[in-house]
Amino acid sequence: MSVALASSPTSNSTQQEPLRVMVVDDSVVIRGLISRWVGSEPDMVVAASLRTGLDAVNQIERVNPDVAVLDIEMPELDGISALPLLLAKKRNLIIIMASTLTRRNAEISFKALSLGASDYIPKPESTREQAAAETFHHDLIQKIRSLGAKLRRNVPASPNLPGHATNPLPAPDRPRGPLSRPLQAPVAPLARRAFSSHAPRALLIGSSTGGPQALMTLVGEIGAVIDRFPVLITQHMPPTFTTILAEHLARSSHRPAHEAVDGEIVKAGRIYLAPGGRHMRVVRRGTDVAIALDDGPPVNFCKPAVDPLFSSAIDVWQGGILAVVLTGMGSDGMRGGKEIVAAGGSVIAQDEATSVVWGMPGAAANAGICSAILPLGQIAPKLVRLFSGDRS
């Protein structure tokens, strides 16, 4: 079997070197497609193009990749079985799971996240569909770049492999996630706004990369908020995946959670999740608030997107909105967050240290619209206090 390998870096490699990407997929078409895309980026290089998970496990020490794009369904050793073996050999390896949009693969992708995968990406059913292929191309390159950049900022350049100096990486039993940052010179604190004097009447949450794990943690700790107020969530995620996520949110929160249905009335005590492939907005229907789904074009390259939800809520709840922007790539949620603040509401962003990617929350924080920028573990207690009447 022929295997394409890029030369392994030397021990004096620098953080400016291209990201080394290992492509693992039993489809020669998909391998070739991803390899061409990666090879055309100036900040990336194809470290290896492999057919099975077993090939990846056997060759990771020689290939020494920064990022692995790992297919789920492969002969000899599938992706979910290869995942822990790869991380055992290189704990700081960024792994992006790739799969087609089936319920089984969606479930496996969620399991992969719990086992240490950094992210997932849905593969198009056919690469002949130009729009689907273009979306796959854009999303994959952005995920590789964003996750790889975080790795390069947080981890010394020398690899954690036999024959190289050992890095100060997390202990093997530590949950995989954002790594400790090296000591840096102090930076000026980001501006904070005072929380709104209006009592919040709804909780809106936007998230992307790293969002499923963050959401499940958050909803599991805000039962007192959910019981009294509606919670609406937009997570960048395709169809089928949002169905599974809603089920996970219901289990984590012990509260009703489901993909929102067009026209349904929004009620306290429930979690409404934007369905994959459709934007979720809210509208006023007499004395009620209703869900409005639409099939419009992507916003911020996303569908569903956070900004449509945030912006639409202003006409419904005016200044009684509390919005949270969690981990994710890009800047979705920042524009809508600005509008919420202008209308008298408040925005909280997840901090950089606990975000898988500090794109979305970072954009909100740097725009100066946040009343708090908090570690994930501190967001739930803050929400409970704010919805209980605390305005500080």
Side-chain angles (χ1 to χ4, degrees), residues 18-42:
L19 286 166
R20 297 175 59 80
V21 181
M22 180 171 68
V23 182
V24 189
D25 197 301
D26 64 326
S27 166
V28 66
V29 174
I30 294 295
R31 281 204 315 276
L33 201 63
I34 295 176
S35 295
R36 286 195 298 274
W37 292 340
V38 170
S40 66
E41 298 295 326

Side-chain angles (χ1 to χ4, degrees), residues 33 53 91 139 143 146 162 168 171 201 215 256 260-261 291 302 308 391-392:
L33 201 63
R91 294 194 302 268
D139 291 352
K143 287 175 187 288
S146 297
R201 293 188 286 158
L215 286 168
V261 177
I291 297 290
C302 303
R391 299 289 176 266
S392 61

Side-chain angles (χ1 to χ4, degrees), residues 90-110:
K90 185 170 185 180
R91 294 194 302 268
N92 63 327
L93 177 66
I94 298 294
I95 298 181
I96 301 172
M97 305 300 295
S99 70
T100 51
L101 289 174
T102 66
R103 182 181 176 90
R104 175 179 176 274
N105 284 343
E107 287 279 18
I108 292 173
S109 295
F110 275 96

Side-chain angles (χ1 to χ4, degrees), residues 104-350:
R104 175 179 176 274
N105 284 343
E107 287 279 18
I108 292 173
S109 295
F110 275 96
K111 181 179 180 181
L113 293 176
S114 71
L115 292 175
S118 301
D119 205 356
Y120 60 89
I121 187 165
K123 295 193 296 187
E125 294 292 339
S126 172
T127 56
R128 296 176 183 174
E129 298 176 16
Q130 184 173 356
E134 288 177 355
T135 299
F136 181 43
H137 180 185
H138 173 272
D139 291 352
L140 179 61
I141 294 301
Q142 291 303 311
K143 287 175 187 288
I144 293 172
R145 181 170 288 127
S146 297
L147 292 165
K150 173 106 180 179
L151 175 73
R152 290 294 175 86
R153 286 198 303 271
N154 294 341
V155 180
S158 56
N160 179 37
L161 291 171
H164 295 275
T166 302
N167 292 332
L169 295 173
D173 59 348
R174 177 176 172 179
R176 184 168 167 79
L179 305 176
S180 301
R181 300 192 67 180
L183 293 176
Q184 297 177 339
V187 295
L190 293 163
R192 309 289 203 282
R193 305 176 64 91
F195 276 100
S196 171
S197 59
H198 297 282
R201 293 188 286 158
L203 174 60
L204 312 183
I205 305 174
S207 54
S208 183
T209 307
Q213 306 96 305
L215 286 168
M216 284 183 273
T217 296
L218 184 61
V219 302
E221 299 173 355
I222 58 169
V225 174
I226 301 170
D227 289 341
R228 298 172 54 209
F229 302 91
V231 177
L232 298 97
I233 300 172
T234 294
Q235 159 72 37
H236 297 165
M237 189 171 269
T240 305
F241 280 68
T242 47
T243 304
I244 305 300
L245 177 59
E247 295 170 2
H248 281 268
L249 293 175
R251 287 197 290 269
S252 296
S253 66
H254 303 288
R255 306 294 191 282
H258 66 278
E259 288 179 296
V261 177
D262 188 51
E264 71 174 313
I265 302 303
V266 174
K267 300 178 181 179
R270 299 176 182 273
I271 299 172
Y272 301 86
L273 179 66
R278 303 188 75 186
H279 297 304
M280 178 173 70
R281 294 178 169 86
V282 287
V283 295
R284 178 68 66 180
R285 294 274 174 86
T287 59
D288 293 323
V289 178
I291 297 290
L293 302 180
D294 75 69
D295 196 26
V299 176
N300 302 317
F301 298 101
C302 303
K303 188 178 175 183
V306 178
D307 278 338
L309 171 62
F310 281 12
S311 298
S312 70
I314 296 167
D315 291 335
V316 172
W317 291 296
Q318 291 80 47
I321 302 169
L322 185 50
V324 177
V325 183
L326 296 176
T327 173
M329 295 187 302
S331 62
D332 192 23
M334 183 268 288
R335 187 177 294 108
K338 279 185 176 181
E339 295 174 8
I340 286 174
V341 169
S346 300
V347 175
I348 294 175
Q350 185 175 351

